Amino acid sequence: MSSVSDGSLPLGDPPVVEHPTPNGVTEIAQRLVQFPFTPPDVKLKEADALSASKDWFTKHDENEIDQLDSLDFYADWFTKHDENEIDQLDSLDFYAASGPQSVGVVPKLHNTSAGIEIYELPSTLSKEAFEKTEGPYRPGVTKKYSNKRSGKKVAKFKVGTMAQSGVACFYVSRLLGHLVEVPPATYRTMDIQEFEKVAEQARTTGHPSCTEAWGVLRSMVKSGSSKVVLPDGKLVFGSLAQNPRGENSSPEDYWTRDAIRGHSFYKVLSSKAPVANILNLNDAKCLQDVALAQDMTRGVILDSIFRQVDRLGNISIAELQHYVTNKGKVKWDHKVSDKDKTEAVSPILPLKRIMYKDNDDGMNWGMNSISVITK
């Protein structure tokens, strides 16, 4: 995860970032915009719209969304926004033939859903070589639950109800006061011809359900279904989501309910006694248990709202830096700036927090749930 930029544009200015394509159409990415109404129980700060207050989107959210929005699928030149917002992902170009700005655009071929993955390229491979050799199914390499590729995966593009669920989960998590850590996701369109080119590489995958999902998706795109294709028939629309980096991805001790109940923080959840009676809040380990207990409780709330049916296996752990400000507010982020350090009146404490990622399997009412939600 990258550090927070102090130079990001104001929220919703511009409301979209445009990316012209060689086929004569324009792809767009949606920036953070003001929420259309103010919930009655929310008190705004000064004249800020809710989405502009610090209690909804953080500077880190703004920076990460700008990074996603700035990804250009075709050109080796940059928009004015890119020039002003250069950072790690801003410099990536989905279609440059080679060089540090070039990235690989390849189909997801493992697990059960269809999607497109975006990779930073290793220095030893050009974009063309990467997509040709590592894009399609590879016997012995592409497996049912994994498909190791060179480079670093930085983002995922999905369409249909999966995209709606992923974007909505991110926004609602922030609307509810940054309820829990959810990786940023943003609305994005993609040239239909490029999408079909990538989809052709997914006729064979490592997982039968993934192969089936790609078949259904290709048919929907070919028919111009309004669920995935815009009315002009030139663009596929969906969600471009950040692929978290540096986190402990899906640790096995969160794959089952029994494994979760084996954690020391679970006694905080299962006890009816006040937290202060069972934990020493001056002890760092106890504070860690409180943080994870809070994350698990809030994650259940969010998953209940969205009827998340595939949570176990999509839980990750990230270490965030925590401190108390001179205004008495507890803050945490991936990195702490020099300015943050001057405002801190407590030691800066690194704590593990639960990250709820891959939120593309929600809003599936009537389906059996693979989650941490229990009666």
Side-chain angles (χ1 to χ4, degrees):
M1 303 215 175
S2 60
S3 60
V4 178
S5 169
D6 290 328
S8 59
L9 294 173
L11 293 170
D13 182 15
V16 297
V17 178
E18 297 185 347
H19 296 286
T21 75
N23 296 318
V25 298
T26 300
E27 299 174 346
I28 67 166
Q30 180 71 61
R31 294 200 74 225
L32 297 175
V33 294
Q34 294 183 354
F35 199 70
F37 68 91
T38 301
D41 60 340
V42 172
K43 183 178 180 180
L44 298 182
K45 296 181 178 180
E46 299 176 354
D48 283 347
L50 178 60
S51 57
S53 74
K54 294 180 181 179
D55 286 336
W56 195 10
F57 295 121
T58 65
K59 291 293 290 184
H60 181 76
D61 290 334
E62 295 177 48
N63 190 51
E64 295 301 316
I65 289 293
D66 282 351
Q67 290 173 1
L68 289 172
D69 287 351
S70 67
L71 293 174
D72 192 301
F73 287 17
Y74 295 91
D76 56 3
W77 41 265
F78 296 101
T79 64
K80 186 65 177 177
H81 172 72
D82 293 331
E83 294 173 9
N84 293 335
E85 302 295 319
I86 291 296
D87 53 29
Q88 188 171 2
L89 288 181
D90 286 347
S91 64
L92 299 178
D93 188 305
F94 279 26
Y95 295 91
S98 62
Q101 299 168 358
S102 182
V103 295
V105 183
V106 290
K108 176 178 174 291
L109 301 178
H110 64 287
N111 289 347
T112 58
S113 62
I116 292 178
E117 299 179 334
I118 313 302
Y119 282 81
E120 289 181 359
L121 296 176
S123 58
T124 56
L125 285 178
S126 67
K127 172 184 173 64
E128 181 181 7
F130 177 86
E131 294 178 352
K132 182 178 180 180
T133 60
E134 301 194 24
Y137 175 85
R138 292 169 292 163
V141 177
T142 306
K143 300 179 180 179
K144 193 172 184 178
Y145 295 108
S146 67
N147 183 29
K148 294 184 179 179
R149 287 166 165 148
S150 304
K152 182 183 296 181
K153 183 165 57 179
V154 296
K156 302 174 186 176
F157 179 70
K158 292 192 174 182
V159 302
T161 56
M162 292 188 299
Q164 297 166 16
S165 174
V167 171
C169 191
F170 165 65
Y171 274 85
V172 171
S173 74
R174 298 319 193 252
L175 175 60
L176 297 178
H178 210 116
L179 187 67
V180 74
E181 191 67 20
V182 173
T186 185
Y187 175 83
R188 176 70 199 236
T189 60
M190 186 175 187
D191 187 292
I192 193 170
Q193 293 184 43
E194 176 61 25
F195 188 90
E196 290 176 333
K197 182 182 75 174
V198 177
E200 279 298 306
Q201 288 190 316
R203 291 193 172 273
T204 300
T205 76
H207 197 296
S209 295
C210 187
T211 300
E212 180 182 0
W214 268 112
V216 171
L217 185 54
R218 282 193 299 270
S219 296
M220 292 177 68
V221 173
K222 185 176 181 180
S223 67
S225 170
S226 60
K227 295 181 179 180
V228 295
V229 179
L230 291 178
D232 61 7
K234 297 178 180 180
L235 293 163
V236 175
F237 65 93
S239 164
L240 185 64
Q242 180 195 68
N243 190 72
R245 294 169 293 168
E247 87 284 11
N248 183 2
S249 183
S250 301
E252 292 186 23
D253 52 349
Y254 286 86
W255 285 0
T256 67
R257 292 190 189 97
D258 287 342
I260 291 173
R261 289 168 180 166
H263 284 275
S264 60
F265 72 79
Y266 188 74
K267 71 177 182 180
V268 181
L269 299 175
S270 58
S271 175
K272 296 181 179 180
V275 172
N277 290 354
I278 59 176
L279 293 178
N280 177 9
L281 298 182
N282 292 316
D283 181 82
K285 183 181 183 304
C286 291
L287 289 177
Q288 177 66 85
D289 285 343
V290 171
L292 292 176
Q294 174 181 278
D295 290 347
M296 185 60 66
T297 303
R298 291 179 168 184
V300 168
I301 293 172
L302 194 64
D303 283 356
S304 297
I305 293 173
F306 284 97
R307 191 64 173 90
Q308 183 75 21
V309 303
D310 188 21
R311 172 55 63 203
L312 296 177
N314 287 323
I315 292 176
S316 294
I317 300 296
E319 186 174 270
L320 305 180
Q321 308 300 314
H322 296 66
Y323 62 97
V324 178
T325 70
N326 50 22
K327 295 182 179 179
K329 185 174 182 179
V330 178
K331 295 184 67 176
W332 60 89
D333 209 334
H334 300 76
K335 293 184 179 181
V336 179
S337 67
D338 291 338
K339 181 177 181 295
D340 294 331
K341 293 177 182 178
T342 62
E343 296 177 351
V345 294
S346 71
I348 296 174
L349 183 64
L351 294 175
K352 292 181 179 179
R353 304 304 295 260
I354 296 176
M355 179 181 295
Y356 292 87
K357 65 176 188 177
D358 293 335
N359 301 291
D360 51 19
D361 212 353
M363 301 192 294
N364 288 305
W365 293 274
M367 293 181 62
N368 292 328
S369 177
I370 308 173
S371 72
V372 297
I373 301 172
T374 58
K375 293 183 179 179

